[in-house]
Amino acid sequence: MPIPKKAVETVLASHPTYSEVFPCVPSTAETGRRLVRGVLGMWHLDVLADRAELIVTELIANATRHTPCPEVRLVVGRPTATRVRVGIVDEEPSRLPELSHAGDEDESGRGLFLVEAVADRWGCDLQSAGGRLRGKEVWAELHTEGDE
């Protein structure tokens, strides 16, 4: 007897969220790419790996360039059965991400444009504890099947 679709979504949506803290340095991008590819492989979502690796690379690059934080947390999760979310959490809530306007000769400033181009959606959530802002998560989502 086939499993009802609702049951499948419940099972898939209950995947754990993987997270790990890394130093906020450019070389963390390589480690982050390996972690994201490994998690997507466990979920049999290898088809999303190239896009997710680009996203994590750009989000880590932004954190290392634009925040004084010594560490970042990489988060890979499944908020729903048909979405994967990759995020970088830092402790600098006052430095929100924004699309910059890089010129043709500029060597940087295109990271969020790349994220916007390959992700199905992206954003930033402020995080608080005890009534105080404690940081933010810059995230991007990829659909695992069709449009939601």
Side-chain angles (χ1 to χ4, degrees):
M1 179 166 97
I3 298 171
K5 184 174 180 165
K6 184 172 178 129
V8 171
E9 289 175 358
T10 302
V11 170
L12 291 175
S14 67
H15 281 291
T17 296
Y18 291 87
S19 73
E20 194 166 334
V21 174
F22 296 105
C24 189
V25 295
S27 61
T28 289
E30 181 179 348
T31 306
R33 287 189 296 270
R34 280 196 311 268
L35 182 115
V36 166
R37 186 170 285 279
V39 169
L40 292 174
M42 286 189 301
W43 290 338
H44 305 286
L45 296 172
D46 302 276
V47 68
L48 300 177
D50 290 342
R51 291 168 54 203
E53 283 184 334
L54 176 63
I55 289 166
V56 77
T57 299
E58 295 304 329
L59 295 183
I60 290 172
N62 282 348
T64 62
R65 284 188 196 113
H66 302 295
T67 72
C69 300
E71 297 176 326
V72 293
R73 176 176 295 278
L74 171 60
V75 181
V76 184
R78 298 279 300 272
T80 71
T82 59
R83 288 186 291 146
V84 169
R85 180 180 280 206
V86 176
I88 297 295
V89 179
D90 65 53
E91 294 180 351
E92 188 57 60
S94 64
R95 305 286 310 253
L96 298 178
E98 60 183 73
L99 292 171
S100 63
H101 301 284
D104 291 342
E105 301 298 317
D106 293 337
E107 293 184 17
S108 64
R110 293 175 186 82
L112 288 177
F113 281 110
L114 289 171
V115 170
E116 187 169 77
V118 301
D120 293 301
R121 67 184 199 145
W122 72 276
C124 177
D125 296 331
L126 294 174
Q127 300 188 339
S128 62
R132 269 186 58 203
L133 285 177
R134 295 285 192 192
K136 68 178 177 297
E137 178 180 7
V138 183
W139 53 265
E141 290 183 347
L142 300 169
H143 291 267
T144 61
E145 61 184 47
D147 291 331
E148 283 193 313

